[in-house]
Coordinates of all heavy atoms in Angstrom, one line a residue:
Chain W
M1 N -28.4 10.6 90.7 CA -27.6 9.8 89.8 C -26.8 8.8 90.6 O -26.4 7.7 90.1 CB -26.6 10.7 89.0 CG -25.8 9.9 88.0 SD -25.0 10.9 86.8 CE -24.1 9.7 85.9
T2 N -26.4 9.1 91.8 CA -25.6 8.2 92.6 C -26.3 6.9 92.9 O -25.8 5.8 92.9 CB -25.1 8.9 93.9 OG1 -26.2 9.4 94.6 CG2 -24.1 9.9 93.6
K3 N -27.7 7.0 93.2 CA -28.5 5.8 93.4 C -28.5 5.0 92.2 O -28.4 3.7 92.3 CB -29.9 6.2 93.9 CG -29.9 6.7 95.3 CD -31.4 7.0 95.7 CE -31.4 7.5 97.1 NZ -32.8 8.0 97.5
A4 N -28.8 5.6 91.0 CA -28.8 4.8 89.8 C -27.5 4.2 89.5 O -27.5 3.0 89.1 CB -29.2 5.8 88.6
Y5 N -26.4 4.9 89.8 CA -25.1 4.3 89.6 C -24.9 3.1 90.5 O -24.3 2.1 90.1 CB -24.0 5.4 89.9 CG -22.6 4.9 89.7 CD1 -22.2 4.1 88.6 CD2 -21.7 5.1 90.7 CE1 -20.9 3.7 88.5 CE2 -20.4 4.6 90.6 CZ -20.0 3.9 89.5 OH -18.7 3.4 89.4
A6 N -25.3 3.2 91.8 CA -25.2 2.1 92.7 C -25.9 0.9 92.2 O -25.4 -0.2 92.3 CB -25.7 2.6 94.1
V7 N -27.1 1.1 91.7 CA -27.9 -0.1 91.2 C -27.2 -0.6 90.0 O -27.0 -1.9 89.8 CB -29.3 0.4 90.8 CG1 -30.1 -0.7 90.1 CG2 -30.1 0.9 92.0
F8 N -26.7 0.2 89.1 CA -26.0 -0.2 87.9 C -24.8 -1.0 88.2 O -24.5 -2.1 87.7 CB -25.7 1.0 87.0 CG -24.8 0.8 85.9 CD1 -25.3 0.2 84.7 CD2 -23.4 1.1 85.9 CE1 -24.4 -0.1 83.7 CE2 -22.6 0.8 84.9 CZ -23.1 0.3 83.7
A9 N -24.0 -0.4 89.2 CA -22.8 -1.1 89.6 C -23.0 -2.4 90.2 O -22.3 -3.4 90.0 CB -22.0 -0.2 90.5
G10 N -24.1 -2.5 91.0 CA -24.5 -3.8 91.6 C -24.8 -4.8 90.6 O -24.4 -6.0 90.7
L11 N -25.5 -4.4 89.5 CA -25.8 -5.4 88.4 C -24.5 -5.8 87.7 O -24.3 -7.0 87.4 CB -26.7 -4.7 87.4 CG -28.1 -4.5 87.9 CD1 -28.9 -3.7 86.8 CD2 -28.8 -5.9 88.1
V12 N -23.6 -4.9 87.5 CA -22.3 -5.2 86.9 C -21.5 -6.2 87.7 O -21.0 -7.2 87.2 CB -21.5 -3.9 86.6 CG1 -20.0 -4.3 86.1 CG2 -22.1 -3.0 85.6
L13 N -21.5 -5.9 89.0 CA -20.7 -6.8 89.9 C -21.3 -8.2 90.0 O -20.6 -9.2 90.0 CB -20.6 -6.2 91.3 CG -19.7 -4.9 91.4 CD1 -19.8 -4.3 92.8 CD2 -18.3 -5.2 90.9
A14 N -22.7 -8.2 90.0 CA -23.4 -9.5 90.0 C -23.1 -10.3 88.7 O -22.9 -11.5 88.8 CB -24.9 -9.3 90.2
T15 N -23.1 -9.6 87.6 CA -22.8 -10.2 86.3 C -21.4 -10.8 86.3 O -21.1 -11.9 85.9 CB -23.0 -9.2 85.2 OG1 -24.3 -8.7 85.3 CG2 -22.8 -9.9 83.8
L16 N -20.4 -10.0 86.9 CA -19.0 -10.4 86.9 C -18.9 -11.7 87.8 O -18.3 -12.7 87.3 CB -18.2 -9.3 87.5 CG -16.7 -9.7 87.8 CD1 -16.0 -9.9 86.4 CD2 -16.0 -8.6 88.6
A17 N -19.6 -11.7 88.9 CA -19.5 -12.9 89.8 C -20.2 -14.1 89.1 O -19.7 -15.2 89.1 CB -20.2 -12.6 91.1
W18 N -21.3 -13.9 88.4 CA -22.0 -15.0 87.7 C -21.2 -15.5 86.6 O -21.1 -16.7 86.4 CB -23.4 -14.5 87.2 CG -24.1 -15.5 86.5 CD1 -24.9 -16.5 87.0 CD2 -24.2 -15.6 85.0 NE1 -25.4 -17.3 86.0 CE2 -25.1 -16.7 84.8 CE3 -23.7 -14.9 83.9 CZ2 -25.4 -17.2 83.5 CZ3 -24.0 -15.3 82.7 CH2 -24.9 -16.4 82.5
I19 N -20.5 -14.6 85.8 CA -19.6 -15.1 84.7 C -18.5 -15.9 85.3 O -18.1 -17.0 84.7 CB -19.1 -13.9 83.9 CG1 -20.3 -13.3 83.0 CG2 -18.0 -14.3 83.0 CD1 -19.9 -12.1 82.2
H20 N -17.9 -15.4 86.3 CA -16.8 -16.2 86.9 C -17.3 -17.5 87.4 O -16.6 -18.5 87.3 CB -16.2 -15.4 88.1 CG -15.1 -14.4 87.7 ND1 -14.3 -14.6 86.6 CD2 -14.7 -13.2 88.2 CE1 -13.4 -13.6 86.4 NE2 -13.7 -12.7 87.4
F21 N -18.4 -17.6 88.0 CA -19.0 -18.8 88.6 C -19.3 -19.8 87.5 O -19.0 -21.0 87.7 CB -20.2 -18.5 89.4 CG -20.7 -19.7 90.2 CD1 -20.1 -20.0 91.4 CD2 -21.8 -20.4 89.8 CE1 -20.5 -21.1 92.1 CE2 -22.2 -21.5 90.5 CZ -21.6 -21.9 91.7
T22 N -19.9 -19.4 86.5 CA -20.4 -20.4 85.5 C -19.4 -20.6 84.3 O -19.5 -21.5 83.6 CB -21.7 -19.9 84.8 OG1 -21.5 -18.7 84.2 CG2 -22.8 -19.8 85.9
G23 N -18.5 -19.7 84.2 CA -17.5 -19.8 83.1 C -18.2 -19.4 81.8 O -17.7 -19.7 80.7
W24 N -19.3 -18.6 81.8 CA -20.0 -18.3 80.6 C -19.2 -17.3 79.8 O -18.4 -16.5 80.3 CB -21.4 -17.6 81.1 CG -22.2 -17.1 79.9 CD1 -23.1 -17.9 79.2 CD2 -22.2 -15.8 79.4 NE1 -23.7 -17.1 78.3 CE2 -23.2 -15.8 78.3 CE3 -21.6 -14.6 79.7 CZ2 -23.5 -14.7 77.6 CZ3 -21.9 -13.5 79.0 CH2 -22.8 -13.5 77.9
S25 N -19.4 -17.3 78.5 CA -18.8 -16.4 77.6 C -19.7 -16.1 76.4 O -20.3 -17.1 75.9 CB -17.5 -16.9 77.1 OG -17.0 -16.0 76.1
P26 N -19.9 -14.9 76.0 CA -20.8 -14.6 74.9 C -20.1 -14.8 73.5 O -20.7 -14.9 72.5 CB -21.1 -13.1 75.1 CG -19.9 -12.6 75.7 CD -19.4 -13.6 76.6
S27 N -18.8 -14.9 73.6 CA -18.1 -14.9 72.3 C -17.9 -16.3 71.8 O -17.9 -17.3 72.5 CB -16.7 -14.3 72.5 OG -16.0 -15.0 73.4

Side-chain angles (χ1 to χ4, degrees):
Chain W
M1 184 168 177
T2 50
K3 284 183 182 174
Y5 177 51
V7 172
F8 170 77
L11 289 174
V12 171
L13 293 176
T15 305
L16 175 67
W18 179 78
I19 285 177
H20 273 330
F21 186 80
T22 62
W24 177 86
S25 172
S27 58

